[in-house]
Amino acid sequence: MSLGAKIAVSAMRGIKKTGLIKGPSADLDAALRKEKKYNRKHPYQEPTDRKAAYQTIWVGRYPCLVIKPENQTHKAILFLHGGGDHDAWRPEVSFARTYGKRAEMDVYYPLYPPFTEDSPARTAEFIFDVYREMVKEYGTDKVAVVGSSYGGFLAMQLLTWINRNNAAKEKEHVEMPGLLIMNSPFAYPKTEEEWMYAEELEKNDAMITPGAFRWMLGLTLKLSPNTPDWILYPADMDFHNAPETYVFYAVEACSAVADAIRQSYVRDGAGEKMHMHVEPGMMHCYASAPVFRESRRDFGKQIALLRKL
């Protein structure tokens, strides 16, 4: 483990131990009011820097930021940022822009509603509609999906949505993307064994606080009680015809569902397309930014995959 990584992880663990990162509140109503207040204070605004060409398009009810680097080929990344419970769109715009610049690809950055503002089903439908618009422009073989944390959860939902759409034949048939990359993808544990493992990992996670997973699921089901299992749990998602998929985990709370994801790929005939790496000693989403040796290595692998698309 590199010195830079040790320093970063130690600093995060230290901050967590001080209690500066507050754990989830048992009062879900109070938590909802807090998240909605945050959302109101952080409305979407198109970036004004000149680090890339920006354009905002609307797909249904919600905006999508399109980022075009100076040098790009006719390929695109659907970049799904993390967050989930609040409108955390702003911090990862620079991450998305870096992916686009390094891979020389356009980036579509959906400003999806957190589950405190709309149901997980409507959010998944929005992501699917953004993907459909991208396919019309670039073709499926030239579209890659990159999802980090909750964005990885949305990426897995997207594969399920594509399969369910094609089976229902309600909208035109849509092929899978050419590539899927997920950094520390979040998803809910389902079995009691998975929950116990997640709660044990939460204790030692450098970023995630104990009880965070149960809190998020509790708040989700309070707001959208009819959310089906195939939206929430990897074991119930549909990964038939999945593209080549590369997953980068640390030994972290989110990795509690790693086996469920792998097993579901195998069950659906896509086991050979699942390439999962778990790096010990790292923090959540370590491979999404080239900061220290391990993150530069695995971020570089992702850029190489995108360039080959």
Side-chain angles (χ1 to χ4, degrees):
M1 184 176 179
S2 66
L3 178 60
K6 287 181 180 179
I7 292 172
V9 174
S10 295
M12 290 180 178
R13 292 191 190 282
I15 293 171
K16 183 179 178 180
K17 288 180 180 179
T18 65
L20 293 175
I21 301 176
K22 300 297 182 182
S25 169
D27 187 339
L28 294 182
D29 290 324
L32 178 59
R33 289 193 295 271
K34 179 181 177 182
E35 301 299 350
K36 283 185 171 291
K37 182 178 179 181
Y38 180 95
N39 297 338
R40 289 194 300 271
K41 287 187 174 182
H42 298 83
Y44 169 66
Q45 295 176 322
E46 186 175 292
T48 56
D49 63 66
R50 298 183 179 180
K51 296 178 181 179
Y54 300 109
Q55 177 188 4
T56 300
I57 62 174
W58 286 80
V59 181
R61 298 167 56 191
Y62 298 105
C64 177
L65 176 65
V66 181
I67 306 171
K68 292 181 178 284
E70 287 185 4
N71 299 316
Q72 83 263 22
T73 55
H74 194 68
K75 300 188 295 184
I77 299 168
L78 173 59
F79 190 97
L80 302 172
H81 67 81
D85 57 323
H86 60 277
D87 208 356
W89 65 271
R90 190 185 301 273
E92 292 186 49
V93 170
S94 62
F95 286 60
R97 189 175 58 235
T98 300
Y99 270 93
K101 181 178 180 180
R102 295 285 186 89
E104 299 183 341
M105 297 171 71
D106 295 339
V107 180
Y108 283 61
Y109 192 88
L111 282 300
Y112 65 86
F115 64 74
T116 50
E117 299 292 342
D118 211 338
S119 72
R122 280 193 286 268
T123 296
E125 182 73 11
F126 166 60
I127 298 298
F128 174 68
D129 287 341
V130 171
Y131 174 71
R132 288 172 62 230
E133 291 301 312
M134 296 176 68
V135 166
K136 293 175 185 176
E137 175 69 22
Y138 302 90
T140 52
D141 60 330
K142 297 300 181 183
V143 173
V145 179
V146 176
S148 297
S149 192
Y150 198 87
F153 186 44
L154 297 178
M156 290 186 285
Q157 290 175 357
L158 174 61
L159 301 192
T160 302
W161 219 264
I162 291 170
N163 281 325
R164 291 181 69 86
N165 169 79
N166 292 344
K169 300 179 180 179
E170 293 179 356
K171 297 181 180 179
E172 68 269 22
H173 185 91
V174 180
E175 297 292 337
M176 288 287 177
L179 174 69
L180 171 58
I181 295 172
M182 296 188 286
N183 291 297
S184 298
F186 167 89
Y188 294 109
K190 186 175 186 182
T191 67
E192 191 54 38
E193 290 79 10
E194 285 177 349
W195 276 111
M196 291 174 62
Y197 187 37
E199 288 165 355
E200 190 62 32
L201 289 170
E202 283 176 332
K203 297 175 185 177
N204 298 313
D205 194 295
M207 296 173 65
I208 307 298
T209 54
F213 278 40
R214 286 198 186 272
W215 177 83
M216 287 187 71
L217 181 59
L219 191 54
T220 297
L221 294 179
K222 177 181 176 64
L223 296 170
S224 303
N226 297 320
T227 302
D229 286 358
W230 52 265
I231 288 180
L232 299 173
Y233 308 110
D236 294 294
M237 292 180 180
D238 188 343
F239 299 123
H240 286 91
N241 307 306
E244 294 292 332
T245 302
Y246 293 81
V247 180
F248 297 86
Y249 270 124
V251 178
E252 55 176 316
C254 283
S255 68
V257 297
D259 282 344
I261 295 170
R262 273 192 293 243
Q263 290 169 12
S264 295
Y265 262 68
V266 171
R267 177 203 64 208
D268 293 339
E272 293 183 356
K273 295 183 177 180
M274 167 54 65
H275 313 280
M276 185 176 291
H277 176 74
V278 181
E279 184 74 14
M282 292 294 109
M283 76 287 283
H284 183 62
C285 287
Y286 80 95
S288 62
V291 178
F292 41 82
R293 186 182 68 204
E294 294 87 348
S295 62
R296 287 194 298 270
R297 178 198 68 204
D298 290 344
F299 180 79
K301 290 179 182 177
Q302 296 179 36
I303 297 303
L305 289 166
L306 291 166
R307 283 178 170 266
K308 289 178 182 177
L309 189 66

